[in-house]
Amino acid sequence: MSKPVREKAVVIGISGPSSSGKTTLARLLQRIFCGVNLKPEDSRLNTFIIHEDDFYFPDDKIPYTTTASGEKIQDWDTASAIDIPFLAQALHYVRENGTLPPRLRSKEDQNDATDSGVSDELVQELRGVVGSRLRSKVAGKDIEGPTIAFLEGFLLFAPPEQEQHVLRSVHDAIHLPLFLPAAYEVVKARREGRSGYVTVGPALEPPVRSSEDGGDGGDGKAGTDIDLEAEDDRPPQNFWVDPPGYVDDVVWPRYVTDHAWLLIAEDGDEDQKDGSQALAEAELVRRIGDGTRARTDVGVEVAPGCGSAGMNVVLRWAVELILGYYLNRMGV
């Protein structure tokens, strides 16, 4: 049995393609775990959600890409659009303090919420299971349970063999990585059915650091630290609407190439697993097919059903994994 750790928060990373149910799952998990009594004397479990979308660079610092048709559009689905050093810094703050930094004010929670398809009865059932098991394990013990932080985002994980990967600092700050596969057809239908997304807005003066002005250089490490204790002074938000063809031109190809190390080709060939970009983007997309098969030997927990399981099944799976990990982390 592992020894209790002194960190004040456990970070659960929930990733997958756009529209795979990451935010929905995170919100359901928070409802189940938040405020659960750990002890009869009313010691309650604290939880919160961290949205990767809250770490986008300002709108005028989002990089551009050229589509197959020659159109130049902004690319919100690349690591270069995310302030990775800021995200990694915030995650370390969470682990050390057990709270969200004051700097982090969510804009993601202003976006449309979708129906989870999960009944209140199931949420209450699982909440009861979590409470009962936690209390039975900590009864009579002088243990302070750490906060649970649910981090959800489309780019969180890095291949284990690549120490210099752009997302390494983020991946290494996650205690338990969960991956939700979703088929191309599902991603396309759901993404194109959305009205749009609230964004940060234009950059302040002087501009927030970016690869263009010598900021993070694309390696996710360099850049000036952000004062996480300061209040959020970002400007009023804008609203982004996907241009026609954005899923096929940007969202799906970016997802496949960024996760080539994790996804398995339709023929079972894993030559693409190191994410070396040896294969052209179009060839990777063709080989991955609907994108529902993921490796289970790289330290990432993959949801059951290859993207076809309902949220009820996925939720039960996630609760069991998180509960087991949390109890082990507490050393009970």
Side-chain angles (χ1 to χ4, degrees), residues 3-329:
K3 296 180 180 180
V5 296
R6 295 183 179 178
E7 288 184 317
K8 294 184 178 180
V10 170
V11 178
I12 309 299
I14 305 170
S15 195
S18 174
S19 306
S20 58
K22 303 179 294 296
T23 305
T24 298
L25 178 60
R27 288 170 174 162
L28 287 167
L29 289 169
Q30 187 185 35
R31 288 179 60 193
I32 290 168
F33 282 87
C34 184
V36 167
N37 284 334
L38 298 178
K39 300 179 182 179
E41 56 269 29
D42 202 34
S43 173
R44 293 182 179 273
L45 178 59
N46 182 41
T47 72
F48 53 81
I49 300 174
I50 307 170
H51 304 285
E52 185 180 33
D53 283 4
D54 287 330
F55 295 85
Y56 272 114
F57 281 116
D59 297 22
D60 51 351
K61 295 300 175 184
I62 301 300
Y64 280 78
T65 188
T66 302
T67 68
S69 63
E71 183 182 3
K72 190 175 182 180
I73 59 174
Q74 283 190 303
D75 183 354
W76 294 81
D77 289 76
T78 174
S80 298
I82 301 290
D83 193 340
I84 294 172
F86 180 17
L87 174 55
Q89 187 183 346
L91 292 177
H92 284 291
Y93 181 101
V94 166
R95 286 171 59 141
E96 292 173 4
N97 297 278
T99 62
L100 274 172
R103 178 80 184 186
L104 208 53
R105 183 179 63 196
S106 178
K107 63 173 178 53
E108 169 60 28
D109 288 329
Q110 299 177 47
N111 287 319
D112 293 340
T114 57
D115 181 9
S116 69
V118 174
S119 68
D120 289 339
E121 289 76 13
L122 178 57
V123 170
Q124 292 306 314
E125 173 196 330
L126 293 175
R127 186 174 171 83
V129 169
V130 168
S132 176
R133 286 179 59 182
L134 284 175
R135 286 189 292 274
S136 68
K137 292 293 185 179
V138 303
K141 298 182 176 67
D142 185 19
I143 297 176
E144 186 70 25
T147 291
I148 299 180
F150 300 106
L151 167 67
E152 63 88 14
F154 73 106
L155 275 177
L156 298 180
F157 306 148
E161 67 275 9
Q162 292 189 23
E163 289 300 322
Q164 302 303 314
H165 192 276
V166 66
L167 292 169
R168 175 55 55 198
S169 59
V170 172
H171 187 124
D172 288 350
I174 295 169
H175 293 98
L176 179 62
L178 309 180
F179 184 74
L180 310 184
Y184 159 77
E185 294 81 4
V186 172
V187 170
K188 183 176 175 67
R190 290 179 179 173
R191 176 79 183 229
E192 292 182 347
R194 291 181 174 177
S195 58
Y197 302 86
V198 174
T199 69
V200 171
L204 295 171
E205 294 295 340
V208 176
R209 65 180 186 270
S210 72
S211 57
E212 293 179 359
D213 59 26
D216 69 0
D219 62 4
K221 294 183 178 180
T224 304
D225 284 348
I226 291 176
D227 183 1
L228 295 177
E229 296 289 355
E231 292 299 323
D232 190 343
D233 58 358
R234 288 176 294 180
Q237 291 87 4
N238 286 338
F239 196 73
W240 162 267
V241 177
D242 289 345
Y246 187 73
V247 172
D248 291 309
D249 288 338
V250 178
V251 174
W252 189 254
R254 288 285 186 271
Y255 163 69
V256 169
T257 54
D258 287 334
H259 295 84
W261 62 276
L262 181 58
L263 299 174
I264 300 175
E266 285 193 328
D267 58 8
D269 188 354
E270 296 184 10
D271 288 344
Q272 81 285 357
K273 67 184 177 183
D274 64 354
S276 63
Q277 304 300 319
L279 295 174
E281 181 180 272
E283 177 61 12
L284 272 176
V285 171
R286 185 192 68 78
R287 292 179 64 183
I288 293 301
D290 69 0
T292 57
R293 300 178 62 196
R295 297 172 63 191
T296 57
D297 60 347
V298 288
V300 175
E301 300 287 349
V302 180
C306 295
S308 64
M311 185 54 71
N312 288 357
V313 174
V314 173
L315 182 60
R316 288 184 182 276
W317 162 82
V319 167
E320 188 61 32
L321 279 177
I322 294 166
L323 186 55
Y325 182 88
Y326 189 78
L327 290 170
N328 184 63
R329 194 78 181 175

